[in-house]
Amino acid sequence: MDDNAIHLNVNQWYAWSPGIESSDDWEAWARKQRMPLESGVPELPFVKPMLRRRLSQLSKMAVKVAFECLSKEGQQVVADRTVFCSRHGELTRTVGLLESLSLDEDLSPTGFSLSVHNAASGLYSIANKDKSPSVSLAAGRDTLVEGLREASMLLNSDDAETVLVVIAEEPLPEHLLPFADEMQRSFALALLLARGDNTGKRLSFSSFDSPVEVLTERAGLPEPQSLAVLNFLLSQETECKIPGARSSWVWRQNA
Amino acid sequence: MSDLATEIKQLIIESLDLEDMTVADIESDEPLFGDGLGLDSIDALELGLAIKNQYQITIDAESEDTKKHFASVSALAAFITASKEG
């Protein structure tokens, strides 16, 4: 076993992408029998309409997966800590604000207040009445890896027994698309991690000095790291190498 | 209901993303903030901006009267009418 590896117990997961919601949908997706739709909005019956109207598409997806992942036999639970991750966050709102500025228009107060990176975390905490500490982070292509590393540190050093990790992404605004280095997807994934609990799925990752061929991208842009990891979680494979920002990551799971 | 009141209600629904509401759901005399419609301080700023843009009127954020003008749809209609005349 690799001593530098981060080990996690995944007790529960939930993912959402337009047209792909149930675990059956995701299994069909992993077998390449189902593709996400172009667009779609997650339903959030558990969020009051007056709060729901404030959520961007990105925040809707993040809050959706957080709630569903924390729903246990119809009861809503909370985790001891939450880690909300997004590579680009509320960039759609930010670009909208910049466009207003360029046209000399006044900025929308709602858009301005919810363009911050912790918008999803804040809205989730209001909606689920969850007062536990929360972290919001972005780490380029390694956003999921760093979110899980953060969660692992919380589980090992803090008095947290459970940590909910949420990652949500949406396609870049049109002006920024030429800079894309991953496939552009709308999706969110939540993983409920537990300390020393062997009931869940054991998952680990460690960095890997990859020979050139592993990092060579096939034709076109690579799949976002988190979707590659979800694909691995849904497979029968026990090991998988996924490219990251500066190195590759070796992921392992119990079969 | 005056045309201006209907117009203001439409503006409230659109600018504040009140997705599930129609003009008929908003009473002209009910309070917009707190108990009535249940709008909050961010809505006040957003609505102020929408009114400024649509009716080209200046709203003084410091003025005590502003609070009265934003009390209800009827109060807003009276305020807009007076501002346009003045």
Side-chain angles (χ1 to χ4, degrees), chain A residues 100-111:
Chain A
S100 293
L101 279 179
S102 74
L103 296 169
D104 237 358
E105 290 172 357
D106 290 315
L107 298 183
S108 154
T110 316

Side-chain angles (χ1 to χ4, degrees), chain B residues 55-85:
Chain B
Y55 299 102
Q56 284 81 47
I57 54 175
T58 332
I59 297 157
D60 182 0
E62 303 299 320
S63 165
E64 264 302 302
D65 291 338
T66 301
K67 214 170 168 179
K68 286 179 211 153
H69 300 325
F70 278 72
S72 65
V73 170
S74 305
L76 270 174
F79 168 60
I80 291 166
T81 308
S83 301
K84 286 179 91 75
E85 282 165 4

Side-chain angles (χ1 to χ4, degrees), chain A residues 70-88:
Chain A
L70 291 171
S71 170
K72 208 172 179 180
E73 288 150 15
Q75 295 287 309
Q76 210 52 45
V77 296
V78 294
D80 295 331
R81 302 284 184 274
T82 52
V83 180
F84 280 81
C85 316
S86 182
R87 180 173 180 180
H88 298 298

Side-chain angles (χ1 to χ4, degrees), chain A residues 1-192:
Chain A
M1 195 162 278
D2 187 343
D3 280 338
N4 294 319
I6 303 270
H7 296 270
L8 306 160
N9 291 303
V10 181
N11 267 9
Q12 199 71 249
W13 67 270
Y14 189 92
W16 189 94
S17 192
I20 306 189
E21 296 193 41
S22 67
S23 53
D24 285 351
D25 290 346
W26 282 105
E27 288 190 12
W29 167 82
R31 293 192 303 268
K32 309 218 182 308
Q33 290 165 352
R34 200 177 171 126
M35 288 293 289
L37 302 174
E38 277 290 305
S39 60
V41 182
E43 284 186 20
L44 301 167
F46 31 76
V47 180
K48 287 182 183 147
M50 288 302 268
L51 181 61
R52 197 164 61 212
R53 71 198 165 104
R54 294 261 164 88
L55 275 63
S56 64
Q57 171 76 5
L58 188 81
S59 286
K60 278 187 176 144
M61 292 192 293
V63 170
K64 169 78 176 175
V65 297
F67 259 81
E68 298 285 359
C69 195
L70 291 171
S71 170
K72 208 172 179 180
E73 288 150 15
Q75 295 287 309
Q76 210 52 45
V77 296
V78 294
D80 295 331
R81 302 284 184 274
T82 52
V83 180
F84 280 81
C85 316
S86 182
R87 180 173 180 180
H88 298 298
E90 298 283 351
L91 199 54
T92 305
R93 276 204 205 272
T94 306
V95 167
L97 293 167
L98 292 173
E99 281 170 350
S100 293
L101 279 179
S102 74
L103 296 169
D104 237 358
E105 290 172 357
D106 290 315
L107 298 183
S108 154
T110 316
F112 183 72
S113 69
L114 293 173
S115 63
V116 292
H117 201 64
N118 60 342
S121 159
L123 292 163
Y124 155 79
S125 76
I126 296 169
N128 205 19
K129 299 184 173 65
D130 182 350
K131 293 179 184 169
S132 56
S134 185
V135 177
S136 292
L137 63 85
R141 281 176 68 181
D142 281 337
T143 295
L144 177 67
V145 161
E146 297 307 334
L148 293 175
R149 194 202 301 276
E150 180 76 20
S152 168
M153 285 191 286
L154 293 170
L155 288 167
N156 284 301
S157 62
D158 229 337
D159 54 357
E161 296 288 331
T162 54
V163 177
L164 180 76
V165 176
V166 173
I167 182 158
E169 303 291 358
E170 63 181 343
L172 287 169
E174 207 182 332
H175 299 310
L176 297 168
L177 273 178
F179 299 100
D181 60 3
E182 294 175 315
M183 278 198 273
Q184 300 298 295
R185 295 272 186 258
S186 263
F187 70 91
L189 167 67
L191 299 165
L192 182 59

